[in-house]
Amino acid sequence: MAFAAEGDRLPQVIYWGPPLPSDAPLETLARADQIDITGGMLDANPDLSLCPEASRSFPGQPGMILRGHDGSPLLPRFTFASDDTSDGLTLIYSDDANGLTLTFRFVPDSSTRIITCKTILEARKSIHLHWLAGPVLPAPQQSSEMIDVSGRWCGEFQLNRTAWSPGMRYRENRTGRTGHEHFPGLLIPCFGATNTQGEAYGFHYGWSGGHRMIAEELPDGRRQIQWGHAARMETHAGKRFESASLYVTYSQTGLNGCAVSFQRHLRDRIVTWPRPATPRPVHYNCWEAIYFDHKLPILKDIATRAAKLGAERFVLDDGWFGNRDDDTRSLSDWTVDPRKYPDGLGPLIDHVQSEGMTFGIWFEPEMINPDSDIHRAHPDWALGSEDQTLGRQQKALNMALPEVRDFIYDRMAAILSQHDIDYIKWDHNRVLPMPDADQTRGSYALIDRLRADFPQVEIESCASGGGRIDFGILKRTQRVWLSDSNDALERMRIQHDAALFLPMAVSGSHVGPRRCHTSGRTLDISVRAWVAAQRHMGFEMDPRELDDRETAVLTEVTAWWKRNRDWMLDADILRLDSPDPTVLAEQQMPRDGHRFVVFAGKAGTSAQIAPRPLRLTALDPDARYRVELINRANAPALSRGTPILKNDAIEMSGAWLMHHGIVLPWNFPDTIWVIEGHRL
C-alpha cells in the first residue's frame, strides 16, 4: 500500500495490490495515479484522502462530521504534523484553528497479509461526533460488484452481490450489537475472480456495537470504502474518539486469499487462548435436550451418555438460576435455583467431571427480565424507556453504569469462584432499544475484568446464534455460535460463507436432534455428524433418542474428529468452485499442504445425473497425493457404477486434482462426501 500527499494535506492511497519493486519511484507513482480533468469538473480533483474533507470540495461522503460543543458545525482542514514508522506507520495531522488532531495508524502483518488500521480524533475542547470513518481506502476500478453480508436468525451469513453504480451502497446497523442482519464484512472481487482464482480485496470492521459501511462511486469514477461506528453512537460530547480496528487485505488467489488472511489473523493474532496447548474439546450442550426442565438424575444420565459418545465438555444451558422456568422471568437473578438444585451445582459438576468432562455454564449477563428480583429492586438499571418494546420478554441492562457492571461481575464471579467451571456460554438475545457506543464499551470492560480474574475460563459469544460475531468481541472470547439452527443443511451453508472470515478453531458446530426444532427437517445422523465435524465439534441433542446405528455413526465421526483436530484447527478453510450449484464444497489444508480433507455436501437435486468433477485448489501441481473417500459406505443402492473412489484410494498429481478434479459416486440430496488426501 503506497500513500501520497499534495503539500501538507491528508494523504491518499495511490496503490494497493501485489508488492512493487523496492526501488519503485514514489513520486512517479503519485503522478501516474492522477486522473484527468475535463469540462464540468472543478479545476482540480478533490483528494480522496484517508479522511475526505468537506472543506476541500470533496463531492462524496466526508470522512468525519462534527459539531462544536455549542452545536455549530465544524469543517476541519487538516495539515501534516508528524509521522512515526517504529511500529507500522502512524501519520498525525492537525487543525489548529479548531483545536483538532487526527491520527491514522497502519500495522501490517507479513505473515497473515492483514493491515490493521485505525483513525483517532482528539480535540482541545469537547465536541460532538456524528461520524468518524476508519482510514478511508479506495475500491478497485477493475471490479463490477461487491459482496457484503446480511442474514437473519437461523439464516446468518448470507452473501449479497451488488453491482457498482454511481452513488452509494450504504449499510448501517443501528441495533446496538453486531447483528445477524449486518455482519461487518465486505469483499470486492475483481473481474473474473472466483473462490480460487483472481484478485480480491477484503474488509472487516472489528466492533460489536453497530456500524456503518459506505461503498461510493464518485461522478469521476473513483470509488471509496468507509467503515465506522453507526452514526450518532457517541451520545455525549468528548475530547477523544477513535474508530474500531479496520482489518483489510488483498488477494491474488480469489476470495480464498482474503478468507485465509482473515482466518489466520483472527486465530493467530486476535484470539487469546487460555490453554493453547490443550486440544479443543468436543462439546455437549444440554439446551435442545431439556430446555428449562432441569432434573438432576436426567442431566446425570445425559452426561454419562454424552461422554460415551466422545464429549469432553458439558455445558449447562439456560434455566439453572433464579425462578427460571421459561424465558419470561429471572434474567439477572444469577443465583442457583434451589428447587432444581437443592444441593447447588456441585453434585452435577462432580458427576460431569467423574465422566472425564469439564463443565461450562450459560449466562446472559447484559439482559434483565421485568419479572425479576433485580428489576424490581433497580428498574433504573434498564436501558431505554419504560414503555419500550421487549424482546423475549427482556430488556437490556445499561452497561455504561459502573454499578451495573459491578453487580453482574459480583454475581458471575461468585459462581465461577465456588465451582470448577472452565467455560461460559455468553448470550445476548435481543437488540438494544437504541444504539450507544458506551453500551459496547461497558460490555467489553465487564468481559475484560472477568477474563483478568478468571484467565482459564473460555467464553463463547452467542447472541441468539450469530448476533454478535466480529473481531472486537473475539479479542475477548474464544468461540462463536454461528447460528441457533442445528439443521445440518442450513448449517453447512452458514459455515461455508462464514469461512470467508472465520477459522474452524472458533466456529462452534453441533450435532442437533434427529428432527431440527427450528426447521422441522429430519436428517440422517451421518450428514448431521459430518457437518458438525467441519468446525469445532459438539452435540446438542438428547442422546437418549439415538438408536444403535446413530450411536455408532456419531461415535465414529467424533473419534475421527479427535484424531484430526490438531492439524485441522490450524488449517485454512478453502472454498471450492463447485460446478454443481447444489454442492457446497470446501478443502481444509494446513499451511505446509502435507494433507487435506474435502467436505462436499449436496443440499439439493442436481440438474444433471452424474456428479461433475470437483476441482481441488492450492496443491503442488508436481506432487502426488493419495486421495480416499472415507465415508464410502454411505453410497446408496442406486449408485450402481464403479467410480474408483467408491472402492479404492487413488494416487494422482496435484495438477490432475486441480484441473480435472475428483469424480465422486452418485448420492441422494441431503448427504455429504468426505475425502482425505495426503501428499506422498
Side-chain angles (χ1 to χ4, degrees):
M1 188 179 285
F3 305 88
E6 286 284 343
D8 60 0
R9 299 207 302 260
L10 294 179
Q12 306 178 73
V13 174
I14 58 170
Y15 178 82
W16 180 17
L20 297 173
S22 58
D23 60 351
L26 292 178
E27 184 174 346
T28 302
L29 286 178
R31 294 183 61 192
D33 182 59
Q34 293 177 359
I35 61 175
D36 202 356
I37 299 169
T38 185
M41 299 177 69
L42 297 173
D43 295 339
N45 290 304
D47 296 340
L48 201 170
S49 70
L50 297 178
C51 185
E53 297 165 288
S55 61
R56 298 189 188 272
S57 301
F58 185 71
Q61 171 75 20
M64 80 173 55
I65 301 174
L66 311 173
R67 290 184 291 118
H69 196 276
D70 62 358
S72 59
L74 297 180
L75 294 174
R77 292 171 63 90
F78 290 100
T79 57
F80 178 77
S82 63
D83 61 27
D84 182 355
T85 58
S86 59
D87 180 21
L89 176 64
T90 299
L91 299 168
I92 301 174
Y93 292 78
S94 62
D95 177 353
D96 294 335
N98 290 300
L100 303 174
T101 300
L102 186 63
T103 301
F104 305 103
R105 290 181 181 164
F106 296 85
V107 180
D109 189 307
S110 59
S111 177
T112 66
R113 304 193 319 275
I114 290 284
I115 299 174
T116 304
C117 42
K118 176 177 283 193
T119 301
I120 301 168
L121 177 66
E122 296 169 291
R124 287 199 298 264
K125 298 179 181 179
S126 292
I127 58 173
H128 294 277
L129 178 69
H130 172 82
W131 168 245
L132 178 66
V136 178
L137 301 176
Q141 300 283 308
Q142 293 77 25
S143 171
S144 60
E145 63 179 4
M146 66 193 83
I147 304 171
D148 57 23
V149 187
S150 64
R152 58 168 175 82
W153 180 71
C154 287
E156 294 83 350
F157 287 94
Q158 298 179 27
L159 303 185
N160 307 299
R161 292 179 178 263
T162 304
W164 281 101
S165 62
M168 186 187 300
R169 170 73 167 163
Y170 179 108
R171 295 196 61 181
E172 187 163 35
N173 171 15
R174 303 193 61 78
T175 66
R177 65 178 185 183
T178 316
H180 306 76
E181 308 84 0
H182 302 281
F183 176 77
L186 176 69
L187 297 164
I188 303 180
C190 292
F191 298 135
T194 68
N195 285 322
T196 62
Q197 60 187 359
E199 293 182 288
Y201 294 78
F203 303 76
H204 174 72
Y205 191 65
W207 170 249
S208 308
H211 63 273
R212 175 196 280 184
M213 181 203 84
I214 291 169
E216 184 177 24
E217 182 172 301
L218 304 176
D220 57 33
R222 291 179 296 172
R223 296 165 172 172
Q224 65 162 335
I225 304 296
Q226 295 192 11
W227 289 92
H229 294 9
R232 298 187 179 90
M233 287 281 284
E234 304 292 351
T235 57
H236 306 289
K239 294 183 179 180
R240 190 179 191 279
F241 303 95
E242 62 180 73
S243 73
S245 292
L246 175 62
Y247 303 91
V248 301
T249 190
Y250 163 79
S251 165
Q252 289 181 286
T253 54
L255 299 181
N256 281 341
C258 295
V260 166
S261 289
F262 287 128
Q263 291 170 22
R264 292 180 181 177
H265 197 80
L266 177 62
R267 182 190 63 223
D268 301 339
R269 301 290 188 267
I270 292 179
V271 175
T272 54
W273 305 98
R275 293 172 297 278
T278 302
R280 302 292 279 149
V282 176
H283 278 221
Y284 176 77
N285 184 290
C286 68
W287 175 244
E288 294 193 31
I290 64 166
Y291 298 102
F292 295 101
D293 188 17
H294 290 223
K295 293 183 174 66
L296 185 58
I298 291 175
L299 282 167
K300 287 183 175 180
D301 180 30
I302 287 173
T304 297
R305 292 169 184 261
K308 289 180 179 178
L309 291 167
E312 299 162 307
R313 174 183 280 153
F314 182 97
V315 180
L316 185 67
D317 214 288
D318 194 356
W320 58 267
F321 56 92
N323 192 29
R324 182 80 163 170
D325 294 330
D326 55 40
D327 64 1
T328 68
R329 70 191 78 175
S330 289
L331 275 183
S332 74
D333 295 337
W334 300 113
T335 54
V336 178
D337 185 347
R339 302 171 304 152
K340 301 175 182 178
Y341 299 95
D343 299 315
L345 295 176
L348 177 59
I349 295 175
D350 290 344
H351 179 78
V352 165
Q353 293 179 337
S354 74
E355 295 288 353
M357 297 184 290
T358 63
F359 188 82
I361 196 166
W362 182 93
F363 284 96
E364 192 171 4
E366 297 135 297
M367 298 296 153
I368 187 169
N369 288 126
D371 183 5
S372 66
D373 293 342
I374 301 305
H375 190 275
R376 285 183 281 272
H378 297 282
D380 55 309
W381 283 5
L383 184 69
S385 63
E386 180 59 33
D387 63 348
Q388 65 182 271
T389 301
L390 300 181
R392 283 182 52 162
Q393 298 297 312
Q394 65 194 50
K395 300 178 181 178
L397 287 165
N398 187 345
M399 299 300 293
L401 299 177
E403 60 268 31
V404 169
R405 298 197 299 272
D406 289 344
F407 163 78
I408 301 172
Y409 172 86
D410 290 343
R411 290 292 178 95
M412 295 181 70
I415 297 292
L416 297 176
S417 299
Q418 293 165 12
H419 302 289
D420 186 4
I421 293 171
D422 77 337
Y423 188 80
I424 294 172
K425 180 181 177 183
W426 188 303
D427 222 330
H428 188 294
N429 274 316
R430 66 153 291 170
V431 300
L432 301 185
M434 57 190 182
D436 186 344
D438 286 339
Q439 181 77 8
T440 303
R441 287 191 282 262
S443 294
Y444 283 173
L446 173 63
I447 300 172
D448 291 344
R449 183 180 176 188
L450 282 163
R451 288 209 60 207
D453 292 346
F454 301 94
Q456 295 303 302
V457 176
E458 288 191 18
I459 299 175
E460 172 188 288
S461 177
C462 174
S464 294
R468 185 158 60 178
I469 297 176
D470 59 82
F471 288 14
I473 200 68
L474 279 160
K475 284 183 178 179
R476 299 160 171 88
T477 59
Q478 292 79 29
R479 195 178 196 251
V480 294
W481 187 231
L482 290 179
S483 176
D484 277 347
S485 174
N486 274 326
D487 181 303
L489 295 186
E490 295 178 354
R491 195 81 184 195
M492 182 166 59
R493 200 279 308 158
I494 293 168
Q495 292 176 176
H496 188 70
D497 291 336
L500 288 166
F501 296 91
L502 303 177
M504 175 189 183
V506 305
S507 303
S509 187
H510 294 174
V511 183
R514 191 180 297 139
R515 182 180 185 275
C516 177
H517 80 147
T518 58
S519 71
R521 187 182 282 127
T522 298
L523 293 168
D524 185 73
I525 187 63
S526 181
V527 69
R528 286 186 280 143
W530 282 116
V531 168
Q534 291 180 260
R535 299 296 185 266
H536 184 189
M537 188 177 187
F539 322 138
E540 193 162 344
M541 92 293 278
D542 189 338
R544 296 173 298 177
E545 81 170 14
L546 299 173
D547 61 28
D548 291 345
R549 185 188 74 87
E550 290 171 324
T551 298
V553 170
L554 183 52
T555 303
E556 178 184 351
V557 174
T558 304
W560 178 91
W561 191 84
K562 288 182 177 181
R563 290 194 304 271
N564 289 277
R565 63 181 159 189
D566 287 345
W567 72 265
M568 287 175 64
L569 288 165
D570 287 328
D572 301 324
I573 304 172
L574 305 171
R575 291 158 41 110
L576 298 179
D577 292 325
S578 172
D580 183 341
T582 70
V583 174
L584 286 179
E586 67 181 36
Q587 175 182 324
Q588 297 187 20
M589 187 169 70
R591 192 178 299 212
D592 64 9
H594 73 286
R595 65 187 305 176
F596 59 82
V597 60
V598 171
F599 298 92
K602 187 175 181 181
T605 302
S606 300
Q608 77 290 340
I609 295 175
R612 300 188 190 279
L614 181 64
R615 287 180 167 183
L616 307 189
T617 190
L619 303 178
D620 180 347
D622 298 322
R624 293 184 66 80
Y625 295 84
R626 185 177 189 273
V627 178
E628 183 173 11
L629 183 63
I630 64 171
N631 63 336
R632 61 169 67 103
N634 289 351
L638 282 177
S639 172
R640 298 181 295 157
T642 57
I644 190 170
L645 281 176
K646 189 174 174 181
N647 299 298
D648 296 294
I650 60 172
E651 294 183 6
M652 300 297 290
S653 69
W656 187 89
L657 292 169
M658 290 190 292
H659 296 287
H660 181 279
I662 54 177
V663 178
L664 293 166
W666 183 90
N667 209 342
F668 292 116
D670 306 349
T671 56
I672 189 169
W673 289 124
V674 185
I675 304 100
E676 285 187 343
H678 295 79
R679 188 170 60 198
L680 301 175

